[in-house]
Amino acid sequence: MSDSSLNVRERVSPEEWQARVDLAAAYRLVAHYGWDDLVFTHISARVPGSDHHFLINPYGWLFDEITASSLVKVDLAGRKVMDAPHDINPAGFTIHSAIHAARDDAHCVMHTHSLNGVAVSAQKQGVLPISQQATLVLASLAYHDYEGIALREDEKPRLVADFGDKTFLMLRNHGLLTVGASPADAFLAMYVFEAACMIQVRAQAGGGELVPVDPRIVAGVQQAASAVTRGLGGQLAWPGLLRRLDRLDPSYKT
């Protein structure tokens, strides 16, 4: 690790350092749960108090290698705004920058190419109401049709329009995306999203007739979901997940 990387904590505010630690933890957790795709997806987080500055992974690093110091600070155009020995993949920031620019509430954007997520994204009906996890996703789910590898600027307005104010976005033939007020919230949403997809794929593989949740129950979940899930990642699950990471490998905090 270079001297500039080692000195990152001394060069940023305490609030930014905490954001870096939380984002690095989110990368490690995605790897721990097996949702990563080598170096080909991203999680980004807004720097507290900044004018649209964001943290994202250095290109070429595996998710289980990410540390608080290695994260790169960029602007909405993907340009580095603080000296760093690492570069990012500007193309990988296309989707993230579009959502960050349009959604002030989306402080963290998490995108995965998990096998279960891509499998369901290729199904015409998308997420089916066949589990409690699915009902939580359906309470705030949007879809965006596949337009090829997300490199073009002209796709951004369509993606943003399709996403609207939702929490969960299924990118057709591509993968899953969640947003949250923090890495904890975005991770919790992705955990539920991935679980819904995994359950669906397994239930379909069984070959039997599926039992859908009553539409009236789904509608009720949609009305109550925000109250049920608000703050759950930060207040309950997140501290325990960090303790798990600390037992496995606390180097994400460096």
Side-chain angles (χ1 to χ4, degrees):
M1 187 178 294
S2 68
D3 290 341
S4 59
S5 182
L6 288 169
N7 294 328
V8 167
R9 185 168 189 173
E10 300 173 5
R11 299 162 58 200
V12 302
S13 68
E15 293 78 13
E16 178 175 335
W17 182 253
Q18 186 59 54
R20 285 173 171 270
V21 171
D22 288 340
L23 183 56
Y27 274 102
R28 296 293 186 99
L29 286 167
V30 166
H32 176 70
Y33 283 95
W35 308 335
D36 53 336
D37 183 19
L38 298 179
V39 299
F40 299 114
T41 61
H42 309 274
I43 314 168
S44 58
R46 185 167 181 171
V47 176
S50 73
D51 184 15
H52 287 90
H53 291 165
F54 306 90
L55 301 169
I56 196 166
N57 53 317
Y59 193 41
W61 288 46
L62 299 175
F63 279 23
D64 61 3
E65 298 176 323
I66 301 298
T67 65
S69 294
S70 68
L71 292 162
V72 182
K73 184 158 62 172
V74 299
D75 62 17
L76 272 174
R79 297 179 297 243
K80 287 192 283 187
V81 295
M82 188 174 94
D83 291 340
H86 318 297
D87 292 319
I88 72 161
N89 177 8
F93 194 53
T94 300
I95 291 173
H96 295 251
S97 62
I99 296 170
H100 282 302
R103 297 272 302 267
D104 286 339
D105 62 319
H107 288 199
C108 182
V109 179
M110 181 175 291
H111 173 41
T112 66
H113 295 165
S114 69
L115 299 182
N116 295 302
V118 176
V120 174
S121 78
Q123 297 180 13
K124 189 171 184 178
Q125 291 183 296
V127 176
L128 300 175
I130 60 170
S131 68
Q132 179 169 276
Q133 289 86 346
T135 64
L136 291 170
V137 172
L138 290 167
S140 190
L141 175 63
Y143 293 88
H144 176 65
D145 287 340
Y146 189 62
E147 298 187 25
I149 296 175
L151 302 175
R152 301 191 315 275
E153 289 291 317
D154 66 348
E155 184 179 358
K156 287 184 176 182
R158 292 185 291 276
L159 186 147
V160 167
D162 287 340
F163 197 14
D165 63 353
K166 306 298 187 183
T167 298
F168 306 91
L169 177 63
M170 179 157 276
L171 298 159
R172 291 288 193 182
N173 312 102
H174 184 171
L176 309 180
L177 186 145
T178 61
V179 299
S182 66
D185 292 333
F187 179 83
L188 175 66
M190 186 60 75
Y191 184 90
V192 175
F193 207 177
E194 174 65 23
C197 292
M198 180 184 294
I199 292 166
Q200 181 167 323
V201 169
R202 291 187 179 188
Q204 291 169 324
E209 183 178 358
L210 302 181
V211 179
V213 176
D214 188 304
R216 292 169 296 181
I217 295 176
V218 175
V221 170
Q222 292 172 348
Q223 294 172 6
S226 61
V228 170
T229 60
R230 182 177 296 125
L232 181 60
Q235 294 178 17
L236 294 178
W238 193 246
L241 289 167
L242 296 185
R243 290 193 295 271
R244 174 176 293 175
L245 277 182
D246 287 343
R247 290 193 297 269
L248 293 171
D249 180 2
S251 66
Y252 71 94
K253 296 187 287 188
T254 62

